[in-house]
Amino acid sequence: MSSQPLSPRIAQGFYPQRRLEPEPWLDRIITHGRGRWVGPWWNRPRRFQALVQQVNALHEAVRDFTQDRILAEARRLRRELRLHGFTADRVARIFALARHAAGLVLGMRHFDVQILGGLVLLHGMVAEMETGQGKTLTAVLPACAAALAGIPVHIITVNDYLARRDAEWMRPVYEALGLRVGAVTHELNLEQRQQAYRCDITYCTNKEIVFDYLRDRLTLGARGGAIQMLLERMSQSHPRLDSLRLRGLCFGLVDEADSVLIDEARTPLIISSPAPTLYEKQVYREALELARMLKPQLDFVLDRGQKRLELTESGKEALAAGAAARAGLWKNTRWREELIQQALSAIHLFHRDKDYLVRDQKIQIVDLYTGRVMGDRSWEQGLHQLIETKEQCPLTAPTEAIARISYQRFFRRYRFLAGMTGTAREVANELWAVYRLPVVPVPPNQPSARSAGPLRLFPGEESKWQAVTGRILQIHQRGRPVLVGTRSVAASEALSARLQQAGLPHRVLNARQDKQEAEIVAQAGRPGRITIATNMAGRGTDIALAPGVAERGGLHVIATEPHDARRIDRQLFGRCGRQGDPGSCELYGSLEDELFWPYRDRWWFAGIRRWMDPRTVWGRWLGTLVCHHAQRAAERKHYRLRRDLLKHDEILDRSMAFSGRPE
């Protein structure tokens, strides 16, 4: 399913998108081998150096262009591109023009490595650019080239804040070339979304565009061809065509590609509709009461890593005994066991201030990857109602799925796909195997001045938090700003309480303070500033250093818990030492962190806890070894989950195509 070369023809047709065809097994083996063995040698940035030099050679020709001259030249190139398509000369001309426009209206002229990154994106690849190398400005170059050719461009990022910020930040460059830019965020209505998607370039989040696509598929239904739509427009006052949001899937440029295409690809996205109420609130109360009577390991087996549990035979017998005096569904073995499993999940696997918040007597799900609230999302199969009952909130109506799609299946439907991120090398094989996206490393403009301290792994959480608090105090006394990363709202607030007791002024950035994000981030680089943040400050966040901070050593980043993937830790560390600025980072952890939960019952784990001492060379070496092993195991487990979901989606896609359903 490799992307076809970028051409104005990509945007032709009604609702253009790629038709996914089953790949022969031999082709799959060959292409996977190419990504694993040939890719690292073939996908070298040097193959684009000639074009970079050509762009530089055009600098003299455009350096004196005024804004009117830039606009006139862009219109001329627009006509040429739509008539004759892309050539090396036209691409170089567009890049030189966009670079000059950025310098003129923003005071930010593209570096050569950003030109190189733009060429990588224009060739349908993933540009791996170190954090702080200006990926936002780099994306402008291929976006301008594609938009001038009449190709609708979607620049997809991880949250509303970044989509809104990047669209407004880069708007003057696009408008200088006569292009319109829009941004799709959660609060927009149908008409506002249509206007944003009809712009030449649209900034949006991965979740918003996938749900808009699913809504379009529901609107189109099984009979959604171009002729049918045109006939409806001629004969009906409210044709379905007027309700569509997107103009198709032509050019998708994914920012933070590893997060969107890999990390978030484990969970399918589902559109639901109200369903009949199966149970009364009393039933959910009884389910929670019975679930609390069951004993872990004896009555049920818990897998926290995969958020899964299973009743044992002892648990089924205990449940039958507890339900014997109850009427209704409790007499049905299958129904009561399914309901109790969901109740056990609500108690043991989903926790307040980590997986969800309670606001105004409503359960709001927290996205674990971005740290942000997903206000309109809910869990299925009674789980949401059980959590509402657990937290003593009013019950909402249950829902049932009417459309679903995974990120793998959605992004493979783009006619042309590219991506950029600072952390792709670890998942390069998977990006190629699933999306046919080769990874090209782009060298930094300036060597990194970031220094990394050794991992400090403690036996227990209390000793870890004491060490973290002491380290924050030490850095704060030097007048350096500190960014402390936590994995949950609860952890950020627990650390905040410790700092308050120590008399350390600080700010907290988590899902409760999402409206103050821009203000908190803007102040995080000031001397002596302490900022505690969840993953909200992990990707796309640029913390500018105040005057005098660089001389004191720059921003210091502390991660308080290792993540399941090493890439996510590196993203947090990338908030410091950007564009050659000084900075430092270090990782703290404890053997009670979530990453190590699968090993708590292993015979060797207790021995490691006794020997673990981060103050000694032996303890640091052992901690690094254990953490590396746990992260590699978690990465393999998540890869298998994504692979199984993709196989399930392919089977589902074939069955839905057979039945005539759109999704």
Side-chain angles (χ1 to χ4, degrees), residues 2-6 34 39 41-48 116-129 138-139 142 251-258 261 416-421 424 428 431-432 435-442:
S2 57
S3 293
Q4 65 187 72
L6 187 60
R34 178 186 180 276
W41 286 270
W42 177 252
N43 301 325
R44 294 291 187 184
R46 68 183 64 171
R47 58 184 290 201
F48 302 106
L116 178 60
L119 292 170
V120 170
L121 297 174
L122 199 63
H123 283 75
M125 302 176 177
V126 172
E128 185 182 47
M129 304 176 67
T138 299
F251 187 156
L253 201 167
V254 185
D255 190 11
E256 307 297 352
D258 63 316
L261 302 179
F416 192 89
L417 187 64
M420 54 186 181
T421 181
L431 286 170
W432 173 258
Y435 304 100
R436 297 297 180 263
L437 286 173
V439 175
V440 178
V442 178

Side-chain angles (χ1 to χ4, degrees), residues 155-167 183-187 203-209 254-256 259-260 264 367 369-374 377 407 509 514 517-518 521 534-542 575:
I155 300 181
I156 302 156
T157 187
V158 291
N159 59 65
D160 285 349
Y161 168 73
L162 294 178
R164 190 184 303 109
R165 184 202 69 179
D166 293 352
V184 175
T185 52
H186 178 69
E187 69 276 2
Y203 285 80
C204 54
T205 66
N206 48 331
K207 290 182 174 63
E208 292 301 325
I209 195 168
V254 185
D255 190 11
E256 307 297 352
S259 175
V260 174
E264 299 202 35
D367 188 331
Y369 295 105
T370 65
R372 287 171 165 78
V373 167
M374 300 185 291
R377 313 292 161 82
Y407 281 115
L509 175 59
D514 51 358
E517 178 173 3
V521 169
T534 57
N535 287 349
M536 292 177 70
R539 291 182 180 266
T541 305
D542 193 1
R575 299 316 102 202

Side-chain angles (χ1 to χ4, degrees), residues 277-547:
T277 301
L278 296 178
Y279 311 127
E280 299 295 333
K281 190 163 187 174
Q282 180 60 30
V283 173
Y284 293 121
R285 288 199 191 100
E286 293 174 352
L288 291 172
E289 290 173 3
L290 288 172
R292 290 190 176 101
M293 295 169 54
L294 302 180
K295 300 176 182 179
Q297 305 307 321
L298 176 63
D299 297 327
F300 62 93
V301 179
L302 190 63
D303 185 347
R304 295 183 185 273
Q306 297 189 21
K307 284 191 176 293
R308 187 176 62 189
L309 55 84
E310 185 177 352
L311 287 172
T312 64
E313 290 301 322
S314 172
K316 293 177 182 178
E317 292 174 2
L319 176 59
R326 304 173 191 267
L329 70 91
W330 300 110
K331 298 298 183 184
N332 186 299
T333 303
R334 183 174 65 86
W335 284 8
R336 74 178 176 229
E337 289 180 0
E338 289 179 355
L339 185 58
I340 290 300
Q341 282 191 341
Q342 291 290 71
L344 288 168
S345 298
I347 295 170
H348 298 285
L349 296 180
F350 293 86
H351 305 286
R352 183 170 180 168
D353 294 338
K354 178 183 177 184
D355 301 289
Y356 61 89
L357 300 178
V358 179
R359 283 181 175 174
D360 302 324
Q361 288 291 293
K362 292 182 180 179
I363 301 297
Q364 294 188 326
I365 300 175
V366 175
D367 188 331
L368 296 180
Y369 295 105
T370 65
R372 287 171 165 78
V373 167
M374 300 185 291
D376 60 341
R377 313 292 161 82
S378 62
W379 289 292
E380 290 187 299
Q381 300 175 351
L383 177 61
H384 201 88
Q385 286 70 33
L386 283 162
I387 292 177
E388 287 173 331
T389 304
K390 182 182 78 169
E391 299 294 347
Q392 299 181 358
C393 296
L395 287 188
T396 57
T399 60
E400 60 182 357
I402 57 175
R404 76 186 296 277
I405 196 170
S406 67
Y407 281 115
Q408 292 106 320
R409 193 148 55 104
F410 171 76
F411 282 106
R412 286 171 7 143
R413 291 185 177 180
Y414 267 98
R415 301 288 296 274
F416 192 89
L417 187 64
M420 54 186 181
T421 181
T423 49
R425 67 179 71 101
E426 295 93 340
V427 291
N429 291 335
E430 188 173 352
L431 286 170
W432 173 258
V434 176
Y435 304 100
R436 297 297 180 263
L437 286 173
V439 175
V440 178
V442 178
N445 182 55
Q446 296 181 12
S448 174
R450 183 187 309 122
S451 62
L455 167 68
R456 301 189 65 188
L457 194 63
F458 293 82
E461 282 206 351
E462 180 60 29
S463 55
K464 177 188 75 172
W465 290 118
Q466 288 179 1
V468 168
T469 305
R471 184 60 171 161
I472 293 172
L473 175 61
Q474 184 181 12
I475 300 297
H476 174 72
Q477 289 174 342
R478 299 175 186 173
R480 295 177 58 188
V482 185
L483 174 66
V484 187
T486 62
R487 287 192 62 173
S488 67
V489 174
S492 66
E493 293 178 345
L495 179 57
S496 174
R498 287 178 176 270
L499 295 186
Q500 286 179 354
Q501 291 178 357
L504 291 173
H506 61 279
R507 297 291 299 273
V508 178
L509 175 59
N510 58 36
R512 298 190 199 276
Q513 291 85 21
D514 51 358
K515 295 181 180 178
Q516 306 169 28
E517 178 173 3
E519 175 198 350
I520 295 174
V521 169
Q523 298 176 3
R526 296 183 178 180
R529 179 73 63 173
I530 301 173
T531 306
I532 303 171
T534 57
N535 287 349
M536 292 177 70
R539 291 182 180 266
T541 305
D542 193 1
I543 297 176
L545 300 183

Side-chain angles (χ1 to χ4, degrees), residues 578-636:
R578 300 165 73 91
Q579 288 290 353
D581 287 336
S584 55
C585 58
E586 53 189 337
L587 173 61
Y588 285 70
S590 81
L591 293 177
E592 296 179 0
D593 291 339
E594 186 175 345
L595 177 67
F596 304 104
W597 285 355
Y599 309 102
R600 291 189 298 187
D601 297 329
R602 305 287 179 89
W603 62 269
W604 49 266
F605 195 71
I608 288 178
R609 293 192 66 170
R610 287 195 300 269
W611 284 95
M612 185 64 64
D613 187 352
R615 296 171 297 181
T616 64
V617 175
W618 163 255
R620 289 194 292 270
W621 178 85
L622 184 61
T624 301
L625 182 65
V626 170
C627 186
H628 179 75
H629 170 76
Q631 287 183 316
R632 290 293 298 271
E635 288 169 355
R636 288 193 296 268

